[in-house]
Amino acid sequence: EAQVTQNPRYLITVTGKKLTVTCSQNMNHEYMSWYRQDPGLGLRQIYYSMNVEVTDKGDVPEGYKVSRKEKRNFPLILESPSPNQTSLYFCASSPQGGGKLFFGSGTQLSVL
Amino acid sequence: GNSVTQMEGPVTLSEEAFLTINCTYTATGYPSLFWYVQYPGEGLQLLLKATKADDKGSNKGFEATYRKETTSFHLEKGSVQVSDSAVYFCALSTGGTSYGKLTFGQGTILTVHP
């Protein structure tokens, strides 16, 4: 089954403790992206990647890192999480971008 | 820059009622327009799209027409069902160096009662 898989679904952590949210897609898509969803703000793009070893900042990249060493994986790294990073995070992929994104089921992160 | 504005929600309707969710946009260039739907506990799914002026996107009884003159892409459905309860997002993409980047509206929560 074609899908984007994120892990974990729920994560509670404390300020400053490094964490990684994994994302994997099995559709051989070139384009992958991370979004955060906050009430009243919709989805905002954090980082995106056009292909392996090619990543770029989205609208809200501060406090986040990403890497794209393999085509299928695109982990999101929070080196020193802060409470303002409490949010619902979505990974998405697309064969060439252009608007039809395939989304994962989301990761609800709480930073205490 | 690009932006998308959706009507404020939440929207509560009875089953079989008519639905309209307003969406307007500002964009540099000539955008493609999308509606995504998010069911409880799930990621977003593409509902419909339109890529040029006067195009009508449709799917599952939902429709939206790309109106360049009013910069709008309102979502409509003639008779909603309880199963349509979800969050609906209007979005646009202008491609170019941001190829694949979507700019989303804030989302509209729809609740349909039996």
Side-chain angles (χ1 to χ4, degrees):
Chain A
E1 180 189 353
Q3 59 185 358
V4 178
T5 304
Q6 289 178 235
N7 280 297
R9 285 295 302 270
Y10 303 93
L11 180 57
I12 300 174
T13 189
V14 295
T15 299
K17 186 176 182 182
K18 181 179 178 179
L19 65 91
T20 299
V21 183
T22 64
C23 174
S24 180
Q25 51 93 5
N26 62 2
M27 296 169 279
N28 202 36
H29 288 167
E30 286 84 12
Y31 181 92
M32 297 186 74
S33 181
W34 278 101
Y35 287 85
R36 59 178 288 173
Q37 181 180 7
D38 301 290
L41 297 177
L43 277 79
R44 293 177 292 168
Q45 190 180 52
I46 302 170
Y47 269 94
Y48 66 96
S49 170
M50 301 289 283
N51 215 324
V52 176
E53 303 291 0
V54 180
T55 63
D56 208 347
K57 297 177 181 178
D59 296 319
V60 288
E62 293 77 21
Y64 304 94
K65 285 176 58 177
V66 293
S67 68
R68 187 92 182 272
K69 294 185 171 58
E70 305 165 281
K71 198 173 190 179
R72 63 183 291 126
N73 295 324
F74 191 47
L76 179 69
I77 303 157
L78 285 72
E79 299 243 336
S80 183
S82 62
N84 64 12
Q85 293 178 298
T86 292
S87 186
L88 179 59
Y89 291 86
F90 287 101
C91 181
S93 73
S94 176
Q96 287 180 320
K100 183 171 183 180
L101 290 174
F102 295 79
F103 281 83
S105 298
T107 297
Q108 181 64 60
L109 172 66
S110 296
V111 183
L112 306 177
Chain B
N2 297 336
S3 67
V4 176
T5 302
Q6 291 181 230
M7 66 183 292
E8 292 187 13
V11 175
T12 302
L13 296 172
S14 297
E15 207 164 24
E16 299 184 3
F18 184 84
L19 168 70
T20 300
I21 301 177
N22 290 337
C23 171
T24 57
Y25 67 90
T26 59
T28 53
Y30 201 160
S32 296
L33 302 174
F34 307 85
W35 278 99
Y36 276 79
V37 58
Q38 183 182 29
Y39 298 105
E42 298 183 10
L44 283 71
Q45 305 171 26
L46 179 64
L47 180 60
L48 55 84
K49 71 174 186 179
T51 57
K52 61 182 187 295
D54 300 324
D55 266 3
K56 179 185 283 188
S58 62
N59 187 24
K60 300 181 180 180
F62 291 90
E63 294 182 338
T65 301
Y66 190 144
R67 300 288 187 202
K68 190 166 185 281
E69 65 276 13
T70 55
T71 61
S72 65
F73 193 55
H74 306 319
L75 183 68
E76 296 181 337
K77 187 175 186 182
S79 177
V80 294
Q81 306 299 312
V82 172
S83 57
D84 294 326
S85 298
V87 184
Y88 292 83
F89 291 92
C90 186
L92 69 81
S93 173
T94 54
T97 56
S98 300
Y99 192 58
K101 177 181 176 180
L102 285 173
T103 299
F104 287 90
Q106 70 269 39
T108 301
I109 299 171
L110 171 65
T111 302
V112 180
H113 292 298

